[in-house]
Amino acid sequence: MLQYCRIDDFGKIVLKKEHNYYYQIMGQLRVTGRNVCYFVIHTNQWTDIQIIHFDNEFWESTMFNKLKIFYLECLLPEIVDPLYGKRMLISDIREPEHILNAQNKKKKIN
């Protein structure tokens, strides 16, 4: 079966809300101001088209605060005072403590 889908109670293939594709779709819908995305799955044996609606509750509860923190703590400091371009070293990139902790946790799991 496809890693990014599951079978619902009606035997229909649906995109998992915890998969990166779902996050990508919600982000694209929010940025473009659209309400609907047609998610197409095509294999040599079959094709499935899902209509995915923008989920404002998911956006607010799951995505917005994480994106805001990323922007304020990672992106904005580099825009205001870029360190990477000065010496061109990856070690110059600012990484907030919570990001370093998450990366270390992921490394331990893998």
Side-chain angles (χ1 to χ4, degrees):
M1 190 56 173
L2 302 169
Q3 302 171 358
Y4 48 86
C5 291
R6 65 177 177 77
I7 306 294
D8 70 5
D9 296 337
F10 304 103
K12 208 174 164 201
I13 297 171
V14 293
L15 178 61
K16 293 177 183 176
K17 284 191 172 187
E18 61 273 6
H19 195 275
N20 287 343
Y21 288 169
Y22 189 80
Y23 281 79
Q24 180 180 355
I25 290 168
M26 287 301 116
Q28 289 175 336
L29 289 174
R30 175 69 174 160
V31 167
T32 61
R34 301 201 183 256
N35 294 314
V36 174
C37 171
Y38 295 95
F39 184 70
V40 179
I41 303 169
H42 175 74
T43 71
N44 291 336
Q45 291 79 30
W46 53 272
T47 298
D48 184 69
I49 301 173
Q50 296 174 40
I51 299 173
I52 299 175
H53 296 271
F54 178 70
D55 184 345
N56 194 58
E57 183 179 329
F58 181 85
W59 172 261
E60 292 290 335
S61 66
T62 307
M63 295 182 67
F64 180 75
N65 284 331
K66 290 178 183 177
L67 289 167
K68 182 179 172 183
I69 290 168
F70 171 76
Y71 178 76
L72 292 174
E73 294 183 8
C74 300
L75 196 56
L76 187 58
E78 269 305 302
I79 292 170
V80 173
D81 180 27
L83 295 181
Y84 179 69
K86 293 177 182 170
R87 297 186 314 163
M88 302 302 274
L89 298 174
I90 290 185
S91 61
D92 289 338
I93 297 173
R94 294 178 185 97
E95 294 288 7
E97 193 66 32
H98 63 90
I99 290 178
L100 294 172
N101 291 338
Q103 289 172 342
N104 290 333
K105 185 177 179 182
K106 188 175 181 179
K107 285 178 186 176
K108 289 178 184 177
I109 292 172
N110 292 333

mmCIF file of all heavy atoms in Angstrom, residues 5-42:
data_model
loop_
_atom_site.group_PDB
_atom_site.id
_atom_site.type_symbol
_atom_site.label_atom_id
_atom_site.label_comp_id
_atom_site.label_asym_id
_atom_site.label_seq_id
_atom_site.Cartn_x
_atom_site.Cartn_y
_atom_site.Cartn_z
ATOM 1 N N CYS A 5 -1.086 7.056 2.310
ATOM 2 C CA CYS A 5 -2.544 6.880 2.310
ATOM 3 C C CYS A 5 -2.962 5.802 3.293
ATOM 4 O O CYS A 5 -2.158 5.002 3.755
ATOM 5 C CB CYS A 5 -3.021 6.487 0.916
ATOM 6 S SG CYS A 5 -2.872 7.801 -0.288
ATOM 7 N N ARG A 6 -4.247 5.798 3.582
ATOM 8 C CA ARG A 6 -4.849 4.746 4.393
ATOM 9 C C ARG A 6 -6.208 4.421 3.785
ATOM 10 O O ARG A 6 -6.708 5.158 2.933
ATOM 11 C CB ARG A 6 -4.985 5.190 5.841
ATOM 12 C CG ARG A 6 -5.940 6.337 6.052
ATOM 13 C CD ARG A 6 -6.089 6.704 7.534
ATOM 14 N NE ARG A 6 -6.941 7.852 7.713
ATOM 15 C CZ ARG A 6 -8.270 7.850 7.644
ATOM 16 N NH1 ARG A 6 -8.922 6.729 7.399
ATOM 17 N NH2 ARG A 6 -8.969 8.960 7.805
ATOM 18 N N ILE A 7 -6.784 3.342 4.223
ATOM 19 C CA ILE A 7 -8.130 2.967 3.779
ATOM 20 C C ILE A 7 -9.100 3.389 4.879
ATOM 21 O O ILE A 7 -8.931 3.015 6.038
ATOM 22 C CB ILE A 7 -8.238 1.443 3.543
ATOM 23 C CG1 ILE A 7 -7.161 0.955 2.576
ATOM 24 C CG2 ILE A 7 -9.634 1.060 3.078
ATOM 25 C CD1 ILE A 7 -7.282 1.479 1.175
ATOM 26 N N ASP A 8 -10.116 4.171 4.512
ATOM 27 C CA ASP A 8 -11.072 4.628 5.520
ATOM 28 C C ASP A 8 -12.126 3.546 5.787
ATOM 29 O O ASP A 8 -12.061 2.439 5.247
ATOM 30 C CB ASP A 8 -11.703 5.967 5.129
ATOM 31 C CG ASP A 8 -12.656 5.880 3.955
ATOM 32 O OD1 ASP A 8 -12.938 4.764 3.453
ATOM 33 O OD2 ASP A 8 -13.132 6.950 3.519
ATOM 34 N N ASP A 9 -13.090 3.867 6.628
ATOM 35 C CA ASP A 9 -14.128 2.901 7.026
ATOM 36 C C ASP A 9 -15.015 2.460 5.867
ATOM 37 O O ASP A 9 -15.710 1.462 5.959
ATOM 38 C CB ASP A 9 -15.012 3.505 8.129
ATOM 39 C CG ASP A 9 -14.231 3.767 9.398
ATOM 40 O OD1 ASP A 9 -13.178 3.123 9.601
ATOM 41 O OD2 ASP A 9 -14.664 4.626 10.198
ATOM 42 N N PHE A 10 -14.995 3.205 4.778
ATOM 43 C CA PHE A 10 -15.827 2.880 3.619
ATOM 44 C C PHE A 10 -15.025 2.195 2.518
ATOM 45 O O PHE A 10 -15.496 2.041 1.401
ATOM 46 C CB PHE A 10 -16.497 4.152 3.081
ATOM 47 C CG PHE A 10 -17.309 4.871 4.117
ATOM 48 C CD1 PHE A 10 -16.819 6.022 4.718
ATOM 49 C CD2 PHE A 10 -18.540 4.388 4.522
ATOM 50 C CE1 PHE A 10 -17.547 6.691 5.685
ATOM 51 C CE2 PHE A 10 -19.279 5.037 5.490
ATOM 52 C CZ PHE A 10 -18.781 6.194 6.080
ATOM 53 N N GLY A 11 -13.766 1.843 2.820
ATOM 54 C CA GLY A 11 -12.909 1.176 1.849
ATOM 55 C C GLY A 11 -12.301 2.104 0.820
ATOM 56 O O GLY A 11 -11.784 1.671 -0.195
ATOM 57 N N LYS A 12 -12.331 3.395 1.102
ATOM 58 C CA LYS A 12 -11.804 4.394 0.183
ATOM 59 C C LYS A 12 -10.383 4.785 0.578
ATOM 60 O O LYS A 12 -10.053 4.867 1.761
ATOM 61 C CB LYS A 12 -12.709 5.625 0.228
ATOM 62 C CG LYS A 12 -12.731 6.406 -1.029
ATOM 63 C CD LYS A 12 -13.748 7.513 -0.987
ATOM 64 C CE LYS A 12 -13.374 8.410 -2.129
ATOM 65 N NZ LYS A 12 -13.831 9.716 -2.099
ATOM 66 N N ILE A 13 -9.538 5.063 -0.405
ATOM 67 C CA ILE A 13 -8.175 5.514 -0.150
ATOM 68 C C ILE A 13 -8.219 6.995 0.203
ATOM 69 O O ILE A 13 -8.821 7.792 -0.512
ATOM 70 C CB ILE A 13 -7.291 5.309 -1.397
ATOM 71 C CG1 ILE A 13 -7.184 3.835 -1.727
ATOM 72 C CG2 ILE A 13 -5.914 5.908 -1.187
ATOM 73 C CD1 ILE A 13 -6.509 3.558 -3.058
ATOM 74 N N VAL A 14 -7.576 7.356 1.333
ATOM 75 C CA VAL A 14 -7.511 8.768 1.739
ATOM 76 C C VAL A 14 -6.087 9.119 2.159
ATOM 77 O O VAL A 14 -5.355 8.289 2.699
ATOM 78 C CB VAL A 14 -8.492 9.095 2.887
ATOM 79 C CG1 VAL A 14 -9.926 8.973 2.434
ATOM 80 C CG2 VAL A 14 -8.253 8.222 4.096
ATOM 81 N N LEU A 15 -5.710 10.355 1.904
ATOM 82 C CA LEU A 15 -4.399 10.859 2.288
ATOM 83 C C LEU A 15 -4.331 10.989 3.806
ATOM 84 O O LEU A 15 -5.239 11.518 4.434
ATOM 85 C CB LEU A 15 -4.168 12.226 1.630
ATOM 86 C CG LEU A 15 -2.868 12.943 1.934
ATOM 87 C CD1 LEU A 15 -1.664 12.116 1.481
ATOM 88 C CD2 LEU A 15 -2.854 14.308 1.263
ATOM 89 N N LYS A 16 -3.239 10.505 4.401
ATOM 90 C CA LYS A 16 -3.060 10.607 5.850
ATOM 91 C C LYS A 16 -2.786 12.056 6.235
ATOM 92 O O LYS A 16 -1.955 12.717 5.624
ATOM 93 C CB LYS A 16 -1.863 9.757 6.300
ATOM 94 C CG LYS A 16 -2.054 8.278 6.131
ATOM 95 C CD LYS A 16 -0.778 7.544 6.538
ATOM 96 C CE LYS A 16 -0.897 6.064 6.317
ATOM 97 N NZ LYS A 16 0.372 5.363 6.625
ATOM 98 N N LYS A 17 -3.470 12.519 7.279
ATOM 99 C CA LYS A 17 -3.289 13.904 7.727
ATOM 100 C C LYS A 17 -1.921 14.129 8.352
ATOM 101 O O LYS A 17 -1.459 15.257 8.421
ATOM 102 C CB LYS A 17 -4.379 14.302 8.717
ATOM 103 C CG LYS A 17 -5.700 14.573 8.055
ATOM 104 C CD LYS A 17 -6.669 15.214 9.020
ATOM 105 C CE LYS A 17 -7.914 15.640 8.276
ATOM 106 N NZ LYS A 17 -8.819 16.418 9.115
ATOM 107 N N GLU A 18 -1.265 13.082 8.789
ATOM 108 C CA GLU A 18 0.058 13.251 9.401
ATOM 109 C C GLU A 18 1.193 13.173 8.383
ATOM 110 O O GLU A 18 2.356 13.344 8.734
ATOM 111 C CB GLU A 18 0.279 12.214 10.524
ATOM 112 C CG GLU A 18 0.236 10.773 10.080
ATOM 113 C CD GLU A 18 -1.170 10.160 10.060
ATOM 114 O OE1 GLU A 18 -2.163 10.879 10.284
ATOM 115 O OE2 GLU A 18 -1.258 8.957 9.794
ATOM 116 N N HIS A 19 0.867 12.949 7.121
ATOM 117 C CA HIS A 19 1.904 12.855 6.094
ATOM 118 C C HIS A 19 2.304 14.239 5.590
ATOM 119 O O HIS A 19 1.503 15.168 5.578
ATOM 120 C CB HIS A 19 1.431 11.989 4.913
ATOM 121 C CG HIS A 19 2.565 11.572 4.037
ATOM 122 N ND1 HIS A 19 3.044 12.364 3.026
ATOM 123 C CD2 HIS A 19 3.336 10.462 4.050
ATOM 124 C CE1 HIS A 19 4.057 11.753 2.436
ATOM 125 N NE2 HIS A 19 4.256 10.601 3.043
ATOM 126 N N ASN A 20 3.551 14.366 5.155
ATOM 127 C CA ASN A 20 4.063 15.648 4.641
ATOM 128 C C ASN A 20 3.247 16.169 3.466
ATOM 129 O O ASN A 20 3.118 17.383 3.293
ATOM 130 C CB ASN A 20 5.524 15.508 4.219
ATOM 131 C CG ASN A 20 6.457 15.396 5.401
ATOM 132 O OD1 ASN A 20 6.088 15.721 6.521
ATOM 133 N ND2 ASN A 20 7.658 14.918 5.165
ATOM 134 N N TYR A 21 2.690 15.281 2.646
ATOM 135 C CA TYR A 21 1.878 15.730 1.510
ATOM 136 C C TYR A 21 0.677 16.543 1.998
ATOM 137 O O TYR A 21 0.289 17.528 1.393
ATOM 138 C CB TYR A 21 1.374 14.550 0.680
ATOM 139 C CG TYR A 21 2.421 13.847 -0.148
ATOM 140 C CD1 TYR A 21 2.128 12.634 -0.761
ATOM 141 C CD2 TYR A 21 3.698 14.367 -0.341
ATOM 142 C CE1 TYR A 21 3.066 11.974 -1.536
ATOM 143 C CE2 TYR A 21 4.633 13.707 -1.105
ATOM 144 C CZ TYR A 21 4.314 12.509 -1.698
ATOM 145 O OH TYR A 21 5.250 11.855 -2.462
ATOM 146 N N TYR A 22 0.052 16.089 3.096
ATOM 147 C CA TYR A 22 -1.113 16.799 3.625
ATOM 148 C C TYR A 22 -0.708 18.192 4.107
ATOM 149 O O TYR A 22 -1.386 19.179 3.829
ATOM 150 C CB TYR A 22 -1.773 16.002 4.752
ATOM 151 C CG TYR A 22 -3.093 16.579 5.176
ATOM 152 C CD1 TYR A 22 -4.241 16.325 4.431
ATOM 153 C CD2 TYR A 22 -3.211 17.394 6.298
ATOM 154 C CE1 TYR A 22 -5.470 16.863 4.797
ATOM 155 C CE2 TYR A 22 -4.428 17.934 6.674
ATOM 156 C CZ TYR A 22 -5.550 17.662 5.916
ATOM 157 O OH TYR A 22 -6.763 18.201 6.275
ATOM 158 N N TYR A 23 0.427 18.266 4.814
ATOM 159 C CA TYR A 23 0.925 19.562 5.271
ATOM 160 C C TYR A 23 1.207 20.472 4.081
ATOM 161 O O TYR A 23 0.898 21.660 4.101
ATOM 162 C CB TYR A 23 2.213 19.387 6.089
ATOM 163 C CG TYR A 23 1.975 18.935 7.507
ATOM 164 C CD1 TYR A 23 1.711 17.607 7.802
ATOM 165 C CD2 TYR A 23 2.031 19.843 8.547
ATOM 166 C CE1 TYR A 23 1.510 17.194 9.109
ATOM 167 C CE2 TYR A 23 1.834 19.448 9.865
ATOM 168 C CZ TYR A 23 1.573 18.121 10.130
ATOM 169 O OH TYR A 23 1.365 17.722 11.424
ATOM 170 N N GLN A 24 1.812 19.905 3.036
ATOM 171 C CA GLN A 24 2.125 20.689 1.838
ATOM 172 C C GLN A 24 0.842 21.227 1.204
ATOM 173 O O GLN A 24 0.767 22.405 0.835
ATOM 174 C CB GLN A 24 2.886 19.832 0.831
ATOM 175 C CG GLN A 24 3.240 20.577 -0.432
ATOM 176 C CD GLN A 24 3.993 19.700 -1.429
ATOM 177 O OE1 GLN A 24 4.329 18.562 -1.150
ATOM 178 N NE2 GLN A 24 4.240 20.236 -2.597
ATOM 179 N N ILE A 25 -0.161 20.387 1.097
ATOM 180 C CA ILE A 25 -1.429 20.807 0.495
ATOM 181 C C ILE A 25 -2.085 21.905 1.325
ATOM 182 O O ILE A 25 -2.540 22.916 0.785
ATOM 183 C CB ILE A 25 -2.373 19.598 0.313
ATOM 184 C CG1 ILE A 25 -1.835 18.685 -0.793
ATOM 185 C CG2 ILE A 25 -3.795 20.055 0.012
ATOM 186 C CD1 ILE A 25 -2.518 17.336 -0.867
ATOM 187 N N MET A 26 -2.117 21.719 2.657
ATOM 188 C CA MET A 26 -2.735 22.746 3.518
ATOM 189 C C MET A 26 -1.981 24.070 3.377
ATOM 190 O O MET A 26 -2.594 25.141 3.304
ATOM 191 C CB MET A 26 -2.749 22.300 4.979
ATOM 192 C CG MET A 26 -3.751 21.216 5.289
ATOM 193 S SD MET A 26 -5.449 21.686 4.923
ATOM 194 C CE MET A 26 -5.833 20.507 3.632
ATOM 195 N N GLY A 27 -0.659 24.017 3.333
ATOM 196 C CA GLY A 27 0.133 25.231 3.171
ATOM 197 C C GLY A 27 -0.133 25.914 1.850
ATOM 198 O O GLY A 27 -0.299 27.134 1.782
ATOM 199 N N GLN A 28 -0.189 25.123 0.784
ATOM 200 C CA GLN A 28 -0.436 25.703 -0.540
ATOM 201 C C GLN A 28 -1.839 26.295 -0.637
ATOM 202 O O GLN A 28 -2.024 27.353 -1.238
ATOM 203 C CB GLN A 28 -0.202 24.657 -1.621
ATOM 204 C CG GLN A 28 1.258 24.318 -1.783
ATOM 205 C CD GLN A 28 1.491 23.188 -2.773
ATOM 206 O OE1 GLN A 28 0.623 22.366 -3.030
ATOM 207 N NE2 GLN A 28 2.685 23.147 -3.318
ATOM 208 N N LEU A 29 -2.818 25.612 -0.045
ATOM 209 C CA LEU A 29 -4.179 26.146 -0.059
ATOM 210 C C LEU A 29 -4.246 27.460 0.723
ATOM 211 O O LEU A 29 -4.877 28.421 0.285
ATOM 212 C CB LEU A 29 -5.168 25.126 0.509
ATOM 213 C CG LEU A 29 -5.451 23.911 -0.369
ATOM 214 C CD1 LEU A 29 -6.319 22.906 0.375
ATOM 215 C CD2 LEU A 29 -6.087 24.308 -1.685
ATOM 216 N N ARG A 30 -3.576 27.515 1.858
ATOM 217 C CA ARG A 30 -3.589 28.729 2.680
ATOM 218 C C ARG A 30 -2.917 29.894 1.951
ATOM 219 O O ARG A 30 -3.439 31.006 1.910
ATOM 220 C CB ARG A 30 -2.887 28.446 4.011
ATOM 221 C CG ARG A 30 -2.733 29.638 4.884
ATOM 222 C CD ARG A 30 -4.052 30.105 5.415
ATOM 223 N NE ARG A 30 -3.786 31.182 6.382
ATOM 224 C CZ ARG A 30 -4.667 32.049 6.750
ATOM 225 N NH1 ARG A 30 -5.892 31.985 6.294
ATOM 226 N NH2 ARG A 30 -4.359 32.985 7.601
ATOM 227 N N VAL A 31 -1.750 29.644 1.386
ATOM 228 C CA VAL A 31 -0.990 30.703 0.712
ATOM 229 C C VAL A 31 -1.733 31.226 -0.513
ATOM 230 O O VAL A 31 -1.746 32.427 -0.775
ATOM 231 C CB VAL A 31 0.415 30.189 0.324
ATOM 232 C CG1 VAL A 31 1.100 31.123 -0.640
ATOM 233 C CG2 VAL A 31 1.267 30.005 1.567
ATOM 234 N N THR A 32 -2.379 30.333 -1.253
ATOM 235 C CA THR A 32 -3.058 30.744 -2.480
ATOM 236 C C THR A 32 -4.488 31.223 -2.238
ATOM 237 O O THR A 32 -5.120 31.757 -3.151
ATOM 238 C CB THR A 32 -3.100 29.595 -3.505
ATOM 239 O OG1 THR A 32 -3.823 28.483 -2.953
ATOM 240 C CG2 THR A 32 -1.699 29.172 -3.908
ATOM 241 N N GLY A 33 -5.007 31.006 -1.028
ATOM 242 C CA GLY A 33 -6.373 31.421 -0.727
ATOM 243 C C GLY A 33 -7.426 30.517 -1.342
ATOM 244 O O GLY A 33 -8.593 30.882 -1.407
ATOM 245 N N ARG A 34 -7.013 29.364 -1.760
ATOM 246 C CA ARG A 34 -7.976 28.421 -2.351
ATOM 247 C C ARG A 34 -8.574 27.531 -1.271
ATOM 248 O O ARG A 34 -8.046 27.422 -0.176
ATOM 249 C CB ARG A 34 -7.301 27.585 -3.419
ATOM 250 C CG ARG A 34 -6.718 28.458 -4.513
ATOM 251 C CD ARG A 34 -6.524 27.683 -5.779
ATOM 252 N NE ARG A 34 -5.903 28.546 -6.778
ATOM 253 C CZ ARG A 34 -6.546 29.076 -7.782
ATOM 254 N NH1 ARG A 34 -7.830 28.861 -7.937
ATOM 255 N NH2 ARG A 34 -5.915 29.831 -8.652
ATOM 256 N N ASN A 35 -9.675 26.873 -1.595
ATOM 257 C CA ASN A 35 -10.359 26.019 -0.632
ATOM 258 C C ASN A 35 -10.272 24.539 -0.960
ATOM 259 O O ASN A 35 -10.575 23.710 -0.110
ATOM 260 C CB ASN A 35 -11.842 26.415 -0.542
ATOM 261 C CG ASN A 35 -12.005 27.796 0.046
ATOM 262 O OD1 ASN A 35 -11.389 28.119 1.040
ATOM 263 N ND2 ASN A 35 -12.813 28.613 -0.597
ATOM 264 N N VAL A 36 -9.870 24.203 -2.195
ATOM 265 C CA VAL A 36 -9.908 22.809 -2.635
ATOM 266 C C VAL A 36 -8.649 22.460 -3.404
ATOM 267 O O VAL A 36 -8.119 23.271 -4.166
ATOM 268 C CB VAL A 36 -11.142 22.562 -3.542
ATOM 269 C CG1 VAL A 36 -11.139 21.171 -4.124
ATOM 270 C CG2 VAL A 36 -12.424 22.790 -2.778
ATOM 271 N N CYS A 37 -8.193 21.221 -3.194
ATOM 272 C CA CYS A 37 -7.069 20.666 -3.957
ATOM 273 C C CYS A 37 -7.496 19.303 -4.487
ATOM 274 O O CYS A 37 -8.154 18.532 -3.786
ATOM 275 C CB CYS A 37 -5.854 20.506 -3.048
ATOM 276 S SG CYS A 37 -4.486 19.603 -3.804
ATOM 277 N N TYR A 38 -7.132 19.019 -5.714
ATOM 278 C CA TYR A 38 -7.377 17.698 -6.286
ATOM 279 C C TYR A 38 -6.075 16.915 -6.183
ATOM 280 O O TYR A 38 -5.100 17.225 -6.855
ATOM 281 C CB TYR A 38 -7.838 17.807 -7.739
ATOM 282 C CG TYR A 38 -9.175 18.494 -7.858
ATOM 283 C CD1 TYR A 38 -9.248 19.859 -8.105
ATOM 284 C CD2 TYR A 38 -10.353 17.782 -7.683
ATOM 285 C CE1 TYR A 38 -10.468 20.503 -8.186
ATOM 286 C CE2 TYR A 38 -11.580 18.417 -7.764
ATOM 287 C CZ TYR A 38 -11.628 19.778 -8.015
ATOM 288 O OH TYR A 38 -12.839 20.410 -8.085
ATOM 289 N N PHE A 39 -6.056 15.921 -5.307
ATOM 290 C CA PHE A 39 -4.873 15.098 -5.065
ATOM 291 C C PHE A 39 -5.015 13.839 -5.916
ATOM 292 O O PHE A 39 -5.903 13.027 -5.711
ATOM 293 C CB PHE A 39 -4.777 14.751 -3.578
ATOM 294 C CG PHE A 39 -3.549 13.977 -3.213
ATOM 295 C CD1 PHE A 39 -2.298 14.574 -3.233
ATOM 296 C CD2 PHE A 39 -3.650 12.653 -2.822
ATOM 297 C CE1 PHE A 39 -1.167 13.866 -2.886
ATOM 298 C CE2 PHE A 39 -2.519 11.937 -2.471
ATOM 299 C CZ PHE A 39 -1.280 12.541 -2.503
ATOM 300 N N VAL A 40 -4.125 13.697 -6.883
ATOM 301 C CA VAL A 40 -4.215 12.598 -7.845
ATOM 302 C C VAL A 40 -3.150 11.560 -7.535
ATOM 303 O O VAL A 40 -1.971 11.885 -7.407
ATOM 304 C CB VAL A 40 -4.036 13.110 -9.291
ATOM 305 C CG1 VAL A 40 -4.118 11.963 -10.283
ATOM 306 C CG2 VAL A 40 -5.081 14.170 -9.606
ATOM 307 N N ILE A 41 -3.584 10.324 -7.417
ATOM 308 C CA ILE A 41 -2.666 9.189 -7.263
ATOM 309 C C ILE A 41 -2.804 8.351 -8.527
ATOM 310 O O ILE A 41 -3.903 7.922 -8.878
ATOM 311 C CB ILE A 41 -3.028 8.325 -6.044
ATOM 312 C CG1 ILE A 41 -3.041 9.168 -4.775
ATOM 313 C CG2 ILE A 41 -2.062 7.151 -5.919
ATOM 314 C CD1 ILE A 41 -3.641 8.459 -3.587
ATOM 315 N N HIS A 42 -1.682 8.142 -9.198
ATOM 316 C CA HIS A 42 -1.716 7.372 -10.439
ATOM 317 C C HIS A 42 -0.677 6.259 -10.370
ATOM 318 O O HIS A 42 0.479 6.497 -10.028
ATOM 319 C CB HIS A 42 -1.430 8.270 -11.637
ATOM 320 C CG HIS A 42 -1.340 7.518 -12.923
ATOM 321 N ND1 HIS A 42 -2.459 7.023 -13.550
ATOM 322 C CD2 HIS A 42 -0.281 7.151 -13.671
ATOM 323 C CE1 HIS A 42 -2.076 6.392 -14.653
ATOM 324 N NE2 HIS A 42 -0.763 6.453 -14.739
#
